[in-house]
Amino acid sequence: MTERTFSIIKPDATRRNLTGKVNAVIEDAGLRIVAQKRIQMSRAQAEKFYEIHSERPFFGELVEFMTSAPVVVQVLEGESAVTKYREVMGATNPAQAAEGTIRKLYAESVGENSVHGSDSLENAKLEIAQFFSDDEIVG
Ligand code: GTP
Ligand code: MG
């Protein structure tokens, strides 16, 4: 089934000028970038986005990191896009990520791991709605 998922190219990647290289991996995997914008995430936006992790010991560090430089937020479309993109991203910890995945290629650490991708179709819808209006997504 054709799905949409939400992606973020994180500050460690934008800082190293890797937006294009990350996008090439996404497009080579058959996913289509149907919306994209570069933004400076506010603290409030980052706290809301990662609310599920608010009790974790690394939450403060995570919010600091996500607001430390611009990010690129994206909507990706394709067959089984949610699980497909999780595969393309690789494991959260780059040391455990499979060859050819974005995190294996570019991530620096478990915290600074270059990309985010929705973990379910339900969360994808919520996350897309947090950053994009319908008329900004052109499939
Ligand atoms: P996301 O796609 O960003 O949600 O990553 P994920 O689904 O692979 O991992 P998870 O949702 O468990 O964690 C969310 C994010 O929190 C990770 O991508 C990391 O950026 C950060 N994170 C997770 N574990 C740690 C940790 O032990 N230390 C630090 N500093 N950050 C962590
Ligand atoms: Mg997650």
Side-chain angles (χ1 to χ4, degrees):
M1 201 180 65
T2 300
E3 295 174 353
R4 284 177 176 173
T5 192
F6 180 69
S7 163
I8 304 176
I9 303 179
K10 295 184 179 182
D12 66 284
T14 62
R15 220 179 260 130
R16 287 176 290 150
N17 225 15
L18 292 172
T19 300
K21 288 202 166 75
V22 170
N23 280 349
V25 179
I26 290 169
E27 293 187 334
D28 286 350
L31 291 164
R32 187 171 288 276
I33 301 165
V34 295
Q36 170 170 268
K37 59 189 171 190
R38 183 174 165 103
I39 61 165
Q40 172 62 52
M41 228 187 243
S42 67
R43 172 165 290 272
Q45 273 178 314
E47 285 174 348
K48 181 177 177 218
F49 184 74
Y50 278 122
E51 198 169 24
I52 192 170
H53 296 309
S54 62
E55 301 304 315
R56 303 275 204 99
F58 58 80
F59 183 66
E61 212 175 293
L62 178 57
V63 170
E64 273 308 309
F65 168 58
M66 292 302 288
T67 56
S68 67
V71 299
V72 176
V73 292
Q74 305 176 308
V75 181
L76 310 181
E77 187 176 87
E79 185 70 23
S80 305
V82 173
T83 50
K84 174 81 152 292
Y85 189 46
R86 296 290 298 189
E87 286 167 20
V88 171
M89 286 162 53
T92 309
N93 184 344
Q96 277 139 33
E99 288 299 327
T101 61
I102 295 169
R103 284 168 168 169
K104 176 70 175 186
L105 287 165
Y106 301 121
E108 303 196 293
S109 66
V110 66
E112 309 212 350
N113 59 6
S114 301
V115 281
H116 160 81
S118 307
D119 58 12
S120 68
L121 196 53
E122 190 192 353
N123 282 338
K125 292 200 171 97
L126 295 170
E127 291 172 3
I128 289 167
Q130 192 185 334
F131 291 95
F132 291 97
S133 58
D134 285 346
D135 65 359
E136 290 178 309
I137 305 168
V138 185

